[in-house]
């Protein structure tokens, strides 16, 4: 798996106009739960407790920012009570997970939740790790939906997710998007730009006579057939310790994972790396040194993966190097389409031959699901609100357009289905408390870390790091959905997606396109397009419907999807959407309390509660015997009765005082 990345408030809140949406409509996301799936939530606290090194190339916080979840709560960057359904395995034996090859988990889920909290500060938050395999990732999606999340965002992909079919995770996304859950699902599009090669008429006429793939029929990368080129040259960018690039090869045969009766691959493909001369490692998925993947088994998933990178224990960055990729057909049928993706997560690698702008989709797996909104990225500072129009797409934001060739059972479709992905773009490069790097560290600003702008909301905060990647963009859009659902809980995911698409600021032509979808998200404009409905009838109850004069009852009320509530009848004035109030009429009779709530679409039906007030019981004093009407002793039970009335009255006044305070 890999995440899709690159007291603080995200600048994305300003540039997508969610700050305007909140203030104009009294919204906070209250009553809506947003779930996030990512690497980890609070491994930082585990690392600190176990003495794991923070600094250095292999440190969990080599940027110098050490905030834990507890720190974030103390500074208001996260609310208390984030519901963690499942945390990542922060430690593996006595070492952090992934060491010595990979860096420790980065708590990217917590950074995403910080963004959600900035945009929808009243929303409840939940987390589930996506690091325990694709099956558990899919289970986590459903678990969040079952726990009440109406909005879910993720930033994790698996290298072996299918390009040409809805796999296991995509099927889970579609499940929660539909009935009975109705979840609005937002997925990071990925950070692989257009780093892919695709051949829709592959030929394997050349037989290799040399190692490491002697005897195999090699793919001719020149799809025109005018020349024979059996190697694809790729330059791998300089990588930091713990960073790996995946060479992923897939072809047009059905997956078995997620489609157990499909039959799987009928082509046996081997992928080899030749000509490597740098200090990168070339390894298989388990970290074993290799030069080739070896042929896949018949009936397995049609995918091969080989990794190029540098271990976390390295003393410094690797050097850029150019190498060749060869794809060999060992046996079986010849595929009708084949893709080679260089998944470098924005590192800056290049494919040096056979570019094909119409066939380089890198948006892979579940972000392409029908039920998901795939989110691309643009640096917040290069957006219209900060003076750049149209917004400038990040060069690494993944390109859509891969055709769906098989249904979820693995049957080939009569014709390919091409979905408009990504759906839209949102802001990255925003400040948070711990994840990422500072702009000054990256040399993107002067030594003071400030950007050249007169717009205060667009200024970088040099005291904190910046969170880049579609990982950062995705929670911005998801949090807007939470604001929408607070305003109208009846909104369907399809209505939310369509409002965000239709109102987005176009970033390219035609619109939509496979680079930026419909464009840059504008929360206030999207909200204006939603069908507005009046709020439902509020609830209004009394703790007792009958009391004696001089005593009191508690009136409790609650309204949803409302911006204002008005009391009438035996009480009056404006009231909050929910609350309690002590009522104790002194006059015998019937009192009726009525509440009506409204929003921009109209008023709710009135809710009423009736209180009956009866006379207080009074004992009669009797004279003490003897004639002449002499004044006898006062009945002691009367004294106790009067004392009781006094105490009840005091209790009622005390409750009213506390409520008012």
């Amino acid at each position: 798996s890999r995440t899709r990345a690159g007291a603080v408030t995200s600048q994305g809140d300003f540039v997508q106009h969610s700050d305007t949406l909140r203030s104009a409509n009294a919204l906070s996301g209250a009553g809506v739960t947003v779930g996030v799936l990512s690497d980890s939530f609070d491994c930082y606290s585990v690392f600190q407790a176990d003495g794991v090194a923070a600094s250095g190339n292999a440190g969990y916080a080599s940027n110098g920012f050490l905030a834990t979840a507890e720190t974030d709560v103390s500074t208001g960057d996260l609310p208390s009570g984030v519901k963690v359904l499942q945390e990542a395995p922060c430690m593996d034996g006595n070492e952090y997970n992934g060491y010595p090859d990979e860096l420790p988990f980065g708590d990217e889920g917590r950074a995403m939740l910080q963004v959600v909290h900035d945009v929808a500060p009243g929303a409840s938050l939940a987390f589930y790790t996506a690091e325990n395999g694709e099956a558990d990732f899919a289970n986590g999606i459903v678990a969040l939906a079952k726990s009440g999340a109406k909005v879910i965002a993720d930033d994790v992909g698996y290298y072996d997710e299918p390009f040409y079919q809805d796999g296991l995770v995509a099927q889970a996304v579609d499940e929660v998007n539909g009935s009975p859950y109705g979840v609005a699902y937002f997925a990071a599009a990925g950070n692989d730009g257009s780093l892919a090669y695709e051949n829709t008429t592959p030929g394997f006429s050349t037989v290799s006579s040399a190692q490491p793939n002697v005897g195999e029929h090699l793919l001719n990368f020149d799809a025109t057939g005018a020349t024979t080129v059996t190697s694809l040259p790729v330059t791998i960018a300089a990588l930091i310790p713990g960073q790996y690039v995946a060479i992923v090869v897939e072809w047009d045969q059905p997956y078995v994972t997620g489609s157990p009766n499909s039959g799987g691959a009928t082509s046996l493909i081997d992928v080899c790396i030749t000509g490597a001369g740098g200090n990168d490692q070339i390894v298989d998925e388990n970290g074993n040194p290799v030069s080739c993947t070896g042929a896949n088994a018949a009936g397995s998933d049609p995918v091969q993966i080989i990794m190029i990178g540098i271990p976390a224990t390295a003393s410094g960055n690797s050097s850029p190097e150019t190498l060749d990729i060869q794809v060999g057909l060992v046996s079986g049928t010849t595929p009708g389409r084949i893709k080679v993706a260089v998944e470098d997560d924005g590192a800056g690698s290049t494919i040096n031959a056979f570019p094909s702008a119409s066939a380089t989709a890198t948006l892979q797996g579940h972000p392409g699901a029908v039920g998901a909104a795939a989110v691309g990225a643009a640096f917040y500072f290069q957006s219209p609100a900060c003076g750049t129009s149209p917004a400038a797409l990040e060069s690494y934001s993944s390109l859509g357009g891969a055709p769906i060739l098989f249904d979820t059972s693995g049957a080939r479709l009569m014709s390919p289905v091409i979905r408009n992905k990504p759906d839209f773009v949102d802001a990255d490069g925003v400040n948070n408390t711990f994840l990422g790097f500072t702009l000054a560290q990256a040399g993107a600003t002067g030594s003071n870390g400030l950007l050249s702008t007169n717009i205060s909301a667009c200024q970088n905060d040099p005291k904190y790091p910046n969170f880049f990647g579609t990982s950062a963009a995705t929670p911005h859009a998801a949090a807007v959905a939470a604001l929408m659902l607070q305003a109208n809980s009846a909104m369907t995911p399809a209505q939310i997606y369509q409002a965000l698409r239709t109102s987005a600021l176009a970033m390219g032509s035609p619109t939509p396109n496979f680079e930026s979808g419909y464009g840059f998200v504008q929360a206030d404009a999207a909200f204006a397009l939603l069908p507005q409905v009046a709020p439902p009838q509020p609830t209004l109850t009394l703790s007792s419907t009958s009391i004696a004069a001089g005593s009191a009852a508690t009136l409790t009320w609650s309204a949803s999807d409302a911006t204002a509530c008005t009391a009438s009848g035996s009480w009056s004035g404006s009231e909050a959407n929910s609350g309690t109030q002590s009522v104790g009429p002194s006059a015998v009779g019937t009192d009726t309390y009525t509440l009506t709530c409204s929003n921009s679409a109209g008023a709710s039906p009135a809710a009423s509660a009736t209180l009956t007030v009866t006379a207080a019981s009074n004992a009669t004093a009797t004279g003490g015997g003897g004639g002449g009407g002499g004044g006898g002793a006062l009945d002691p039970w009367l004294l106790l009765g009067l004392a009781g009335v006094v105490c009840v009255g005091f209790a009622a006044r005390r409750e009213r005082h506390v409520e008012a305070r």
Side-chain angles (χ1 to χ4, degrees):
S1 66
R2 83 280 191 194
T3 52
R4 287 167 162 157
V8 187
T9 299
S10 166
Q11 295 89 340
D13 187 38
F14 170 72
V15 301
Q16 71 172 3
H17 296 174
S18 46
D19 59 345
T20 303
L21 172 59
R22 277 197 315 276
S23 60
N25 298 277
L27 297 174
S28 67
V32 180
T33 297
V34 179
V36 162
L37 297 114
S38 186
D39 59 349
S40 59
F41 173 70
D42 194 24
C43 281
Y44 272 31
S45 64
V46 176
F47 299 151
Q48 290 179 13
D50 288 347
V52 175
S55 60
N57 289 332
Y60 71 87
S62 58
N63 61 3
F65 295 92
L66 306 177
T68 65
E70 182 180 7
T71 308
D72 289 341
V73 171
S74 71
T75 58
D77 290 289
L78 279 179
S80 60
V82 175
K83 187 176 183 180
V84 179
L85 275 64
Q86 182 167 288
E87 177 62 287
C90 300
M91 302 294 288
D92 183 5
N94 294 321
E95 299 288 354
Y96 49 73
N97 189 284
Y99 186 88
D101 292 324
E102 297 176 85
L103 295 172
F105 291 130
D107 285 0
E108 196 159 311
R110 177 157 55 95
M112 293 176 69
L113 287 167
Q114 283 190 19
V115 171
V116 174
H117 188 55
D118 286 342
V119 175
S124 300
L125 305 180
F127 176 79
Y128 195 106
T129 183
E131 292 292 335
N132 290 326
E134 286 167 84
D136 192 63
F137 187 178
N139 288 339
I141 291 169
V142 176
L144 284 168
K146 287 183 175 180
S147 74
K150 300 302 290 184
V151 180
I152 296 177
D154 87 73
D155 75 332
V156 172
Y158 279 80
Y159 294 123
D160 61 349
E161 286 190 72
F163 277 98
Y164 303 130
Q165 185 176 347
D166 288 324
L168 197 65
V169 181
Q171 291 174 38
V173 170
D174 286 341
E175 178 183 346
V176 301
N177 180 249
S179 179
Y181 302 111
V183 169
Y185 197 101
F186 296 81
N191 302 326
D192 297 313
S194 58
L195 276 176
Y197 162 90
E198 189 159 19
N199 191 326
T200 59
T201 57
F204 294 85
S205 59
T206 301
V207 178
S208 174
S209 59
Q211 294 294 345
N213 44 17
V214 63
E216 296 178 3
H217 291 74
L218 300 182
L219 173 66
N220 182 5
F221 286 94
D222 186 352
T224 69
T227 61
T228 299
V229 182
T230 58
S231 296
L232 183 68
V234 172
T235 297
I236 303 298
L239 304 176
I240 65 171
Q243 188 174 17
Y244 284 82
V245 174
I247 307 301
V248 178
V249 177
E250 294 191 14
W251 54 99
D252 63 334
Q253 288 158 13
Y255 266 61
V256 176
T257 302
S259 306
N261 298 316
S262 71
T266 57
S267 301
L268 277 60
I269 299 291
D270 183 23
V271 179
C272 296
I273 302 296
T274 63
N279 59 343
D280 288 319
Q281 292 183 335
I282 301 173
V283 298
D284 64 17
E285 294 175 86
N286 297 314
N288 302 309
V290 296
S291 58
C292 299
T293 61
N296 59 285
S300 62
D301 290 338
V303 59
Q304 289 282 35
I305 303 167
I306 193 165
M307 309 292 294
I308 304 166
I310 182 170
T313 52
S315 59
N317 297 353
S318 68
S319 300
E321 66 170 317
T322 298
L323 44 76
D324 293 318
I325 300 170
Q326 292 186 328
V327 178
L329 177 62
V330 177
S331 63
T333 60
T334 300
R337 179 190 292 260
I338 196 162
K339 178 187 285 288
V340 179
V342 180
E343 303 190 7
D344 79 337
D345 204 34
S349 303
T350 59
I351 297 176
N352 302 331
F354 304 111
S356 177
S358 62
T360 50
T362 58
L363 191 149
Q364 177 186 11
H366 68 278
V370 170
V375 187
F379 182 29
Y380 84 84
F381 192 69
Q382 294 179 313
S383 67
C386 294
T388 299
S389 186
L393 187 71
E394 296 281 23
S395 62
Y396 49 71
S397 192
S398 284
L399 181 72
I404 300 299
L405 305 177
F406 302 93
D407 66 19
T408 54
S409 69
R412 187 179 287 270
L413 300 174
M414 293 293 293
S415 58
V417 173
I418 299 179
R419 299 166 183 162
N420 289 320
K421 299 288 180 175
D423 292 81
F424 30 72
V425 170
D426 219 316
D428 77 346
V430 299
N431 289 127
N432 76 120
T433 65
F434 69 97
L435 184 68
F437 52 84
T438 67
L439 296 185
Q441 286 172 338
T445 63
S447 59
N448 62 3
L450 297 177
L451 296 166
S452 178
T453 180
N454 294 322
I455 304 171
S456 60
C458 294
Q459 186 54 265
N460 176 55
D461 188 338
K463 299 189 302 296
Y464 294 98
N466 298 74
F467 180 18
F468 279 91
T470 54
S471 295
T474 300
H476 284 95
V480 173
L483 299 178
M484 292 176 171
L485 285 170
Q486 180 194 2
N488 185 351
S489 59
M491 289 295 97
T492 66
Q495 288 173 319
I496 292 171
Y497 298 161
Q498 189 59 24
L500 288 167
R501 293 180 188 126
T502 305
S503 61
L505 296 178
M507 296 170 59
S509 180
T511 299
N513 55 65
F514 295 136
E515 291 83 16
S516 57
Y518 285 81
F520 196 79
V521 167
Q522 299 292 279
D524 53 347
F527 183 79
L529 295 178
L530 290 175
Q532 300 295 306
V533 297
Q537 184 182 57
T539 60
L540 187 67
T541 60
L542 285 159
S543 59
S544 176
T545 58
S546 179
I547 61 172
S551 57
T554 300
L555 184 67
T556 302
W557 69 95
S558 177
S560 61
D561 303 338
T563 56
C565 292
T566 303
S568 59
S570 299
W571 62 333
S572 62
S574 298
E575 298 291 346
N577 283 13
S578 62
T580 61
Q581 182 173 319
S582 181
V583 292
S586 58
V588 173
T590 299
D591 289 85
T592 300
Y593 301 88
T594 300
L595 186 68
T596 303
C597 297
S598 62
N599 60 22
S600 59
S604 70
S608 297
T610 300
L611 179 66
T612 300
V613 182
T614 60
S617 59
N618 290 315
T620 303
T622 57
L634 187 63
D635 189 337
W637 295 108
L638 175 60
L639 288 174
L640 290 175
L642 291 173
V645 170
V646 171
C647 288
V648 169
F650 179 76
R653 288 194 300 274
R654 181 181 62 191
E655 187 174 347
R656 283 194 296 270
H657 175 70
V658 170
E659 186 69 25
R661 184 177 63 186

